[in-house]
Amino acid sequence: MAPKYPEITVLLRAWNRGDAAALNQLTPVVYEELRRLARRYMRNERVGNTLQTTALVNEAYLRLVDAKRVGWHDRVHFFAVSAQIMRRILVDAARARGSAKRGGQVKRINHSSAFNLDEIPDVSSSRDRELVAIDDALKTLAEMDHRKSRVIELRFFGGLSVEETAEALKISPQSVMRDWKLAKAWLMRELTSR
């Protein structure tokens, strides 16, 4: 069953006002959506990896529930923050694996590495360097153009549609597409030049 989006917004606002019962009603609805996002990230993960889909969802959910000072506006805002949290968890795990394997140094990807921002990120151990490189490049992009960085984060890491990204950033879908194209081109150039 697809989550009822207006219901999520109503429950988030009630929880924001301190209604503990709203959190109990909200949990199963958003947890399923978080699982969908996590499965999207983790479907290429190798068997036996220390970070499994359920662990990613649980860690993200715990961080979200613990975020007491966030004034949830609506479901798009909630899932945008979820995307940031999942990005942080995945990149931290990739950095830790890279650090352990290479004596503390994560190497940058080279220009021959093939990845595509239109595809689901593959967070298997063979792609850890790419995930870390994308994260580093996004930080650089954020210093130059925060909105373009957010567009990439919401679409690539959060799995939000163009319309949902536009809603989260309070810009038009056309602006999202323009930022998406320009940011992808910049990221590709940045990643290959490293």
Side-chain angles (χ1 to χ4, degrees), residues 24-127:
N24 292 335
Q25 291 177 292
L26 183 65
T27 298
V29 179
V30 297
Y31 195 83
E32 247 340 280
E33 186 64 15
L34 291 174
R35 284 192 57 76
R36 184 190 65 77
L37 285 173
R39 277 193 303 271
R40 179 179 177 267
Y41 287 129
M42 303 299 288
R43 78 174 179 198
N44 296 319
E45 190 66 32
R46 71 187 186 280
V47 176
N49 181 47
T50 57
L51 184 61
Q52 298 294 322
T53 302
T54 303
L56 177 59
V57 171
N58 290 339
E59 180 65 24
Y61 186 76
L62 288 173
R63 291 184 190 188
L64 286 163
V65 170
D66 199 37
K68 292 176 177 48
R69 288 183 293 245
V70 176
W72 302 114
H73 303 291
D74 53 29
R75 71 166 191 83
V76 172
H77 180 228
F78 180 83
F79 290 115
V81 172
S82 299
Q84 286 181 316
I85 289 173
M86 284 192 184
R87 171 186 168 198
R88 194 75 271 134
I89 293 167
L90 290 169
V91 170
D92 288 349
R95 287 186 195 279
R97 284 189 300 261
S99 179
K101 287 180 187 173
R102 288 177 289 283
Q105 294 191 341
V106 175
K107 297 178 183 176
R108 304 250 186 235
I109 62 170
N110 63 38
H111 65 278
S112 64
S113 294
F115 72 90
N116 183 346
L117 287 175
D118 290 324
E119 296 175 357
I120 295 167
D122 173 356
V123 292
S124 64
S125 63
S126 64
R127 303 283 304 248

Side-chain angles (χ1 to χ4, degrees), residues 144-167:
M144 297 182 314
D145 192 325
H146 183 71
R147 190 175 87 184
K148 284 182 180 66
S149 174
R150 289 286 290 145
V151 166
I152 294 290
E153 180 177 60
L154 293 173
R155 301 228 37 236
F156 182 66
F157 285 94
L160 272 61
S161 69
V162 170
E163 292 74 22
E164 290 170 325
T165 302
E167 186 180 337

